Amino acid sequence: MKSSEPTLESMEDYSGKESKEKKLTIWVVILAGLLIGAIYGMIQSNSSVSDALSVDSGIIKY
């Protein structure tokens, strides 16, 4: 029975033989992820959350 799975040598990405378009696409995806992560991090670090809860218990403090 003959195997129809590709070998590593037959793939275009093996041993640095990938196309320039594929390399550019990979870099664009990586840089877009880093940019989105940086924007999300800046928004999270600059936003404040109020942890104070306003509770009206009816207890009078002197």
Side-chain angles (χ1 to χ4, degrees):
M1 192 167 193
K2 189 174 182 178
S3 177
S4 62
E5 293 185 22
T7 61
L8 288 177
E9 289 81 15
S10 67
M11 296 177 142
E12 70 177 42
D13 293 346
Y14 190 70
S15 294
K17 295 186 239 175
E18 60 272 348
S19 65
K20 288 185 179 185
E21 182 180 338
K22 192 172 283 188
K23 285 182 182 180
L24 181 63
T25 303
I26 291 171
W27 277 110
V28 166
V29 169
I30 291 171
L31 292 176
L34 289 173
L35 180 65
I36 291 170
I39 291 171
Y40 180 75
M42 287 189 323
I43 290 172
Q44 289 290 42
S45 67
N46 289 330
S47 64
S48 63
V49 177
S50 175
D51 291 339
L53 297 174
S54 60
V55 178
D56 186 21
S57 64
I59 299 174
I60 301 172
K61 293 183 179 181
Y62 294 103

